[in-house]
Amino acid sequence: MTDWGMKGDMANRTLTRTVALGALIVVTGLAPFTPAITAETAGNTPVIQVAASEGTSRFIPLGIGKSVAIDLPADIKDVLVADPKIANAVIRSSRRVYMIGVAVGQTNIFFFDADGKQIAGFDIAVKRDLNGVRAALKQAMPDASLQIEGIGDGVVLSGSAASAAESQQAYDIASRLVGGGEKVVNGIAIRGRDQVMLKVTVAEVRRDVIKQLGIDLSGTINYGSAVVNFNTTNPFSANGGPLSESFLTGAFPNVTATLRAMDRAGVIRTLAEPNLTAISGETATFMAGGEFPIPNGLSCDTTRSPPLCQPQITFKKFGVSLVFTPVVLSEGRISLKVMTEVSDLSTENAMTLQVTGSSTSLTVPSIQTRRAETTVEIPSGGSLALAGMIQEQTRQAINGVPALMQVPVLGALFKSRDYVNHQSELMVLVTPYVVRAVAQKQLSRPDDGFADPNDPQGVLLGQLNRIYGVAGKNDARPTGDYHGKYGFILD
């Protein structure tokens, strides 16, 4: 507060009471200050004194709507509240004051005596009242060591939790009580984060059956004055073409008949057994397959005449892929999100592109994809089976000469039958384990015990490898009469 008083009979006298704010005065680095020299200070060097500052203030945290009572050592004559919208001070007696938190923020309050000297100063930080949130966290997770503090209009969770599920639960409780997840910062550390190994078996069996039967006729039959010309070629439209050029050709009077017959059956087995390990809450991926090129526009050199254009190529992945995200819950249970995919190249629905200005053509194959995605809760060591993904596709086409193909028995000479059947079944077995680190000597590699043969063994005996150690035995040499060198050999 600053009071300026002036009376008519005291026009030549000025009474000034100045209270300097600590937040506005910096003792070091002050700009040159030239006070107004009155009659009372003329001829004397003015003295600047800091009446109140933050250096002598005490910090007091307050909640919104909360108060604190302060007893001061001297009678209060004047009080200064920097921002009454943040906190307020109510004087109940000459030495007792109540400070009340109004809104989230920071301010300071100074108290002065009758001589204008500072009695006390307080830095007030008004925060959210988090006692209710602390009680709720303690009741929900009594064994967790959690702290919650307010910063501005938000809160920060800190401490440690036994699992990611406890951390998420604390975050959900704080978000619900504070009023918005964007105001909660989760800084909870996980004690001894678990690691999950996922053992996956992906098996797919596909069976293809193709049957083709047709007769191509070419020739001429004369009947009196009537002439009948034969020139039939069976297209086998279901499969897109014949499996063979010809099977049996016979020549009759003026007629040549070619029998096209083929029966094909095939089985494809796809198997992958990836093992992946990831920290609880993190994502791990696996991919076993390859990439094939796909044209993606043209890049033309316009400096040439005519312009030379080259296709731009991108690559598309195919094969067996696995993506999983584990979260270890209490008592060894695992929340598991799994996405697995089996894809393969196919000539069906393939696309052929002709390169502009060139005789070169590009064939882009299609991809047959089987994909499964799920989220389950499963104990460590339990298995999840994704089965029943059966697909069956049948195509059949009959092509022939109208009317003649309907004749019983003999109609088979004037028609062709093309039958295609595709059957496939995909099964995925998933088994998660909560794992710990192991020593290197407890692990084995696929090439344990493998060594390249020397020249006499490879040339004379036809050996492709030699085994020089047997696991689980003290003798590193194999049984039998082999006494060759083993270990790392440099010739």
Side-chain angles (χ1 to χ4, degrees), residues 420-433:
V420 179
N421 179 260
H422 298 295
Q423 297 176 349
S424 64
E425 180 177 2
L426 175 65
M427 182 176 183
V428 181
L429 297 177
V430 180
T431 305
Y433 297 93

Side-chain angles (χ1 to χ4, degrees), residues 6 13 115 189 246 282 309 317 398 414:
M6 180 178 293
R13 298 187 61 186
D115 297 332
S246 63
E282 301 296 333
C309 297
K317 296 181 179 180
I398 297 179
F414 304 97

Side-chain angles (χ1 to χ4, degrees), residues 125-170:
V126 182
K127 304 179 182 179
R128 293 177 177 270
D129 186 10
L130 302 176
N131 291 331
V133 182
R134 293 188 181 96
L137 293 175
K138 187 65 177 178
Q139 182 179 3
M141 292 164 287
D143 298 332
S145 177
L146 302 177
Q147 294 84 34
I148 181 170
E149 297 295 337
I151 297 180
D153 60 346
V155 297
V156 176
L157 287 170
S158 60
S160 60
S163 63
E166 285 191 357
S167 175
Q168 184 64 34
Q169 183 180 3

